[in-house]
């Protein structure tokens, strides 16, 4: 008899964005004449920039000729041409030393954030901020670290939830119980808020003191506009001893449909056996990758490399600017309409307070029915997200402006 992984039975309903997609599809089928504007899932709308298209086409041509054809690439990391660019442009330029060999290129930060759990014991105590990108929680539920779901509180018995709400300025406090694994996403999805270097340093020091690891998701790094905000956790002294960093080309360069990301696992990072012996985390991740992954396709790696070319940088920055103008318009438009709004300055997400007396799903339904605009209910990101709602700045300009007008006039 085949036994299932019963941890999966502890998962709540479907994945958040699948639930939303289903609700929207139901509404559209009952209201075929309505033009729905989707500002729910953070999917980009600007096309791939010309420098990237050119590089990808060239790489495809190379694959069609015997002299330049390439089969399997290096499975553990990626081609040298890409890891060297990443190390130089994303780290060295910021005064941070990350070795090309510490960079593992993959098909997505979502996959990496989930897969990284393979190398950590199931008895580790996990801390997440609340609200949180659901992948950190759900993958720990699947692994068995989260324990049983408690319907009364909407939380899992073994997880540590660190609230980040307007009350604490979206700065989570250190939990009472000491965690072994700490997920931080900065700039934050979903709240669009972030921490200063000084605040992040406190987390690095805390992890060091407790021999914990920080799983640092920096997928929205490219959207930072304020000086005091770190672009990488490795700007903080000591972080290479306690942190893994996840980065993505999805939002930075419009790769949501192309798929490319990377994870930095410093060679200095140590984990421990039950008896307290030190083990290289780098070696474990390298070993996992060699066994379970065959690398990202050559044309996609060439596409990612082109992001770092002079024209690639200029072109992607124009798109980032475009989205951040959307963010500013949403923020100012909603503020003018009387909403309390957060985020949108260092991140492409706007986090707003839903009107008093409504739950975030009620606001979702109202917005869909009355303005035909889709957002993401805050509670879908965790219990402390109740009473909040997320809008993405990744829409087209036209749709963004229309959505703001509809919310102002109809809701
Ligand atoms: C989001 O909307 O939170 C993100 O687009 C989801 C993701 O990046 O996987």
């Amino acid at each position: 008899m085949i036994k299932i992984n019963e941890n999966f039975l502890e998962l709540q309903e479907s994945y958040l964005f699948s639930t939303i997609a289903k609700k929207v599809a139901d509404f559209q089928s009952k209201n075929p004449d309505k033009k729905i504007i989707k500002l729910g899932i953070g999917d980009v709308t600007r096309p791939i920039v010309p420098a990237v298209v050119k590089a990808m086409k060239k790489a495809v041509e190379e694959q069609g000729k015997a002299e330049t054809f390439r089969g399997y690439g290096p499975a553990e990391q990626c081609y040298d041409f890409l890891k060297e660019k990443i190390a130089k442009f994303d780290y060295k330029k910021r005064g941070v030393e990350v070795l090309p060999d510490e960079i593992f290129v993959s098909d997505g930060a979502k996959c990496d954030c989930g897969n990284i759990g393979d190398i950590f014991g199931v008895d580790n105590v996990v801390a997440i901020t609340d609200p949180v990108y659901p992948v950190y929680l759900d993958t720990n539920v699947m692994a068995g670290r989260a324990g049983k779901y408690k319907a009364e509180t909407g939380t899992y018995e073994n997880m540590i939830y660190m609230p980040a709400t307007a009350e604490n300025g979206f700065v989570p406090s250190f939990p009472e119980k000491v965690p072994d694994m700490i997920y931080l996403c900065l700039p934050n999805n979903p709240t669009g808020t972030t921490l200063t270097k000084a605040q992040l340093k406190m987390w690095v020091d805390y992890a060091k003191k407790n021999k914990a690891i920080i799983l640092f998701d920096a997928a929205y790094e490219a959207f930072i506009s304020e000086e005091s905000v770190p672009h990488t956790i490795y700007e903080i002294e000591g972080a290479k001893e306690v942190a893994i960093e996840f980065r993505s080309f999805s939002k930075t360069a419009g790769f949501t449909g192309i798929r490319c990301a990377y994870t930095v696992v410093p060679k200095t990072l140590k984990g421990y056996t039950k008896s307290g012996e030190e083990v290289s985390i780098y070696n474990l991740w390298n070993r996992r990758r060699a066994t379970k992954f065959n690398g990202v396709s050559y044309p996609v790696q060439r596409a990612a490399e082109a992001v770092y070319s002079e024209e690639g940088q200029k072109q992607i920055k124009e798109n980032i600017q475009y989205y951040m103008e959307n963010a500013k318009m949403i923020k100012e438009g909603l503020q003018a309409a009387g909403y309390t709004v957060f985020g949108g300055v260092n991140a492409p997400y706007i986090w707003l307070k839903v009107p008093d007396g409504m739950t975030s799903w009620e606001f979702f339904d109202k917005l869909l029915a009355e303005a035909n605009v889709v957002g993401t209910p805050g509670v879908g990101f965790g219990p402390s997200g109740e009473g909040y709602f997320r809008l993405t700045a990744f829409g087209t300009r036209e749709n963004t402006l229309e959505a703001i007008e509809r919310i102002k006039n109809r809701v």
Side-chain angles (χ1 to χ4, degrees):
M1 185 177 72
I2 179 70
K3 312 283 186 311
I4 57 147
N5 175 350
E6 292 193 22
N7 297 322
F8 276 62
L9 302 180
E10 289 299 322
L11 291 165
Q12 294 312 293
E13 299 174 23
S14 59
Y15 181 60
L16 174 62
F17 295 107
S18 313
T19 309
I20 292 173
K22 191 173 170 306
K23 270 182 166 264
V24 174
D26 283 352
F27 179 83
Q28 186 78 86
S29 71
K30 288 184 194 128
N31 301 276
D33 54 317
K34 300 279 192 231
K35 184 187 166 238
I36 297 176
I37 298 178
K38 294 181 184 166
L39 301 181
I41 191 163
D43 196 4
V44 293
T45 50
R46 306 286 297 156
I48 296 300
V49 299
V52 170
V53 173
K54 192 171 143 202
M56 207 167 167
K57 273 189 181 161
K58 181 165 173 276
V60 171
E61 292 296 328
E62 285 174 37
Q63 289 296 74
K65 292 191 202 114
E67 322 74 80
T68 46
F69 168 77
R70 300 188 190 217
Y72 290 126
E76 288 87 346
Q77 279 125 13
C78 63
Y79 287 107
D80 287 348
F81 62 76
L82 181 53
K83 62 188 183 191
E84 278 159 14
K85 293 277 181 340
I86 294 171
K88 178 172 170 198
F89 285 89
D90 289 345
Y91 294 101
K92 212 174 179 65
K93 269 193 141 178
R94 298 203 172 276
V96 171
E97 195 65 46
V98 162
L99 304 173
D101 272 359
E102 294 175 321
I103 296 162
F104 294 84
V105 168
S106 75
D107 57 341
K110 177 183 187 173
C111 324
D112 283 353
C113 287
N115 291 334
I116 199 80
D118 275 12
I119 63 170
F120 298 115
V122 288
D123 48 356
N124 281 307
V125 176
V126 182
I128 51 172
T129 55
D130 175 22
V132 76
Y133 177 45
V135 173
Y136 318 145
L137 173 63
D138 286 2
T139 55
N140 278 295
V141 174
M142 291 172 182
R145 285 185 205 98
K148 294 274 173 225
Y149 181 69
K150 297 184 290 178
E152 328 78 78
T153 49
T155 57
Y156 285 85
E157 61 180 358
N158 297 340
M159 295 292 288
I160 296 176
Y161 292 77
M162 305 183 293
T165 59
E167 283 70 40
N168 63 9
F170 301 96
V171 181
S173 308
F174 298 128
E176 271 168 37
K177 186 173 172 188
V178 176
D180 306 300
M181 292 164 67
I182 304 162
Y183 287 83
L184 294 179
C185 174
L186 296 164
N188 188 255
N189 177 15
T191 66
T193 60
T194 191
L195 297 185
T196 62
K197 276 187 194 137
Q199 288 165 331
L200 188 55
K201 177 159 192 324
M202 290 166 70
W203 280 100
V204 168
D205 293 346
Y206 176 83
K208 231 170 159 175
K209 188 175 104 201
N210 295 302
K211 293 192 169 167
I213 194 160
I214 297 177
L215 301 160
F216 190 78
D217 185 351
Y220 300 95
E221 167 278 330
F223 298 85
I224 293 171
S225 68
E226 291 178 324
E227 263 307 296
S228 58
V229 179
H231 284 253
T232 156
I233 193 165
Y234 305 122
E235 281 177 51
I236 313 296
E237 204 196 319
K240 284 194 85 179
E241 287 153 53
V242 292
I244 289 178
E245 178 164 292
F246 304 96
R247 291 275 195 108
S248 172
F249 292 93
S250 283
K251 317 294 157 80
T252 307
F255 274 44
T256 51
I258 293 200
R259 311 304 310 149
C260 197
Y262 67 86
T263 290
V264 177
V265 183
K267 291 188 172 170
T268 38
L269 207 53
K270 300 278 181 260
Y272 303 88
T273 62
K274 285 205 171 79
S275 55
E277 255 172 86
E278 270 188 8
V279 175
S280 157
I281 300 256
Y282 177 91
N283 287 348
L284 299 185
W285 184 240
N286 204 45
R287 185 68 179 80
R288 185 213 174 270
R289 291 260 307 193
T291 304
K292 291 198 183 181
F293 192 52
N294 261 336
V296 170
S297 78
Y298 174 67
V300 168
Q301 293 198 41
R302 281 292 186 199
E305 181 195 23
V307 166
Y308 297 101
S309 65
E310 202 179 321
E311 25 162 22
Q313 282 290 295
K314 187 170 160 284
Q315 293 163 356
I316 64 153
K317 281 183 181 149
E318 279 164 16
N319 284 348
I320 290 167
Q321 178 78 14
Y322 175 97
Y323 294 132
M324 291 314 282
E325 278 164 24
N326 281 351
K328 190 163 183 276
M329 286 173 192
I330 301 174
K331 191 165 181 152
E332 289 173 0
L334 294 183
Q335 274 167 342
Y339 287 91
T340 305
V341 185
F342 306 94
V345 175
N346 294 299
Y349 293 121
I350 309 294
W351 188 242
L352 57 118
K353 273 225 165 261
V354 304
D356 278 350
M358 287 185 96
T359 66
S360 50
W361 274 113
E362 282 166 356
F363 188 69
F364 172 92
D365 291 334
K366 187 175 164 69
L367 211 61
L368 181 58
E370 293 173 14
N372 311 140
V373 171
V374 180
T376 311
V379 74
F381 296 103
S384 297
E386 184 54 280
Y388 292 90
F389 198 78
R390 194 193 78 174
L391 291 172
T392 150
F394 287 125
T396 62
R397 179 63 40 82
E398 188 196 357
N399 279 349
T400 303
L401 288 172
E402 191 175 331
I404 301 166
E405 282 314 301
R406 290 191 199 169
I407 296 172
K408 273 186 182 167
N409 300 327
R410 301 194 203 164
V411 181

